[in-house]
Amino acid sequence: MSVYKRGKYWIEQYNHKKKMYTRRSKSTRKRDALELERQMRHQLVETQVLGHREHIKLHEACDALLSTSKESGAYSTLVTATNRLKDYFDDIYLDAITNRDLSRWVEYERKRGIKDITIRLWSRQFNKICRNANRLGYYTPDYEWGEWNIKDKPIRYLTDDEEQRILKELDPSSAKDPKHKKGRQAARDIFILTIDAGFRINEAGVLKWSDVDFDNGVIYLYRSKVSNDDFIPMTNRLSTALVNRRKVVDGEYVFPGRFGGHKTAQNNRALEAAFKRAGLDDVSSHNLRKTFATRLLSRGAAITDVQHLLGHASVKTTEKAYAAFVKNERFKQTIDLLDKPVT
């Protein structure tokens, strides 16, 4: 190690495993620089020779991961998870958090009305925080927080009858007010887009006419959640709906907002209202996307093809989400063999 002066401040410098490390003392006094050098030497021995690490507080560990994840498609989920962890835990050292502490946090979030599936997503973010801190050389909990057992609910998808009931409620001709007619038509087109192409509701809202290729019958889509580009072939029904919509909607967006820009997920009340009028209180816009996936799988589509159409970053995500459905469909097909005559 050595110290030298650069400008008005003293600099500490050392070499370890053929890598040069430099640190500014922010002091004009050599004595301060020598003391900092001594501390750096001690830290080097502790971490590199003896294998000891520094402690990091939870809030700092959260911020460290956030600062390097802004381009991630799951950044918003990470922000929410870190905020919930910061709100519940004091600013304690990360390695002081026990499995029991996390289990208590789970119960706290459940009492707040947070669904298990959401808490499970947040728990994965906690593991990411720990892995990142460990990579940076800090003490972390000596366990990988496993996901507790959650009984996955059966996938809620629409039957053909339920789909027709919703389309009936979205029929613009049944509305008297011109504004309501326009709103129902937009909601009907979004319904067809999500159930025939597997769009997330926010993806439908930001769709631009420049992304719709009528000549080749496809829609080009950038999925910000997983940061990838896809193209989705259009069904005949979807193509017809968009052709008719193009005749009456000008501008950049397929679904323009009331006050300019694009339609937002919060501004799709006509669609949610149609679910309720159809007597389907347990259905949300995301169930349309699940209906798209289950219809493909039940017709024999390859799981990897469904993965790409849904925009999942990994086929494991698709398999985990629809494993129970695929197994049930396979069992049905197996039992159906008993009804076939033996040849």
Side-chain angles (χ1 to χ4, degrees), residues 93 179 273 293 335:
Y93 287 116
K179 291 184 179 179
I335 294 300

Side-chain angles (χ1 to χ4, degrees), residues 63-283:
D63 294 339
L65 181 58
L66 286 171
S67 65
T68 60
S69 305
K70 292 182 179 179
E71 301 301 321
S72 169
Y75 181 71
S76 60
T77 302
L78 178 60
V79 170
T80 305
T82 54
N83 286 339
R84 294 307 313 144
L85 289 165
K86 287 179 179 181
D87 288 344
Y88 179 80
F89 292 101
D90 293 329
D91 194 13
I92 60 175
Y93 287 116
L94 184 62
D95 58 302
I97 300 176
T98 66
N99 207 320
R100 186 175 182 181
D101 293 330
L102 292 169
S103 296
R104 288 173 176 169
W105 171 68
V106 169
E107 292 304 319
Y108 170 78
E109 296 294 353
R110 282 173 172 165
K111 290 178 180 178
R112 291 181 60 244
I114 306 300
K115 294 182 179 179
D116 278 356
I117 190 66
T118 302
I119 301 175
R120 181 158 58 183
L121 287 175
W122 294 348
S123 72
R124 293 173 184 169
Q125 305 309 313
F126 178 80
N127 286 336
K128 286 184 181 179
I129 293 167
C130 292
R131 287 194 293 269
N132 184 65
N134 182 68
R135 189 177 69 251
L136 294 175
Y138 294 102
Y139 280 115
T140 58
D142 58 357
Y143 58 86
E144 179 85 357
W145 191 29
E147 296 177 0
W148 61 98
N149 292 326
I150 298 177
K151 293 182 179 179
D152 292 322
K153 296 180 181 179
I155 295 174
R156 179 64 170 98
Y157 57 89
L158 298 182
T159 64
D160 292 343
D161 176 67
E162 289 173 335
E163 178 184 348
Q164 293 305 313
R165 284 158 55 186
I166 294 173
L167 286 172
K168 182 179 179 181
E169 295 298 333
L170 290 173
D171 184 359
S173 63
S174 62
K176 297 180 180 180
D177 190 310
K179 291 184 179 179
H180 291 169
K181 286 180 181 288
K182 185 178 179 180
R184 287 194 184 183
Q185 184 63 59
R188 187 179 190 278
D189 292 340
I190 289 176
F191 177 86
I192 294 174
L193 180 62
T194 51
I195 202 170
D196 279 15
F199 273 53
R200 297 179 178 91
I201 194 68
N202 63 311
E203 294 169 346
V206 299
L207 181 64
K208 298 179 180 180
W209 286 117
S210 58
D211 298 324
V212 182
D213 186 346
F214 289 108
D215 293 334
N216 294 308
V218 298
I219 300 175
Y220 298 99
L221 173 65
Y222 174 75
R223 287 186 153 118
S224 59
K225 184 173 182 180
V226 290
S227 302
N228 64 14
D229 291 286
D230 282 311
F231 71 90
I232 311 294
M234 290 187 283
T235 63
N236 293 333
R237 177 172 68 166
L238 176 56
S239 178
T240 300
L242 292 180
V243 166
N244 292 334
R245 186 164 187 78
R246 190 69 177 109
K247 297 175 182 177
V248 296
V249 175
D250 295 321
E252 182 181 10
Y253 293 99
V254 178
F255 301 101
R258 293 173 59 189
F259 306 104
H262 60 78
K263 202 173 187 66
T264 63
Q266 292 78 17
N267 198 20
N268 280 297
R269 284 173 285 185
L271 186 58
E272 301 295 336
F275 297 154
K276 293 183 179 180
R277 291 198 304 271
L280 303 173
D281 293 331
D282 61 336
V283 171

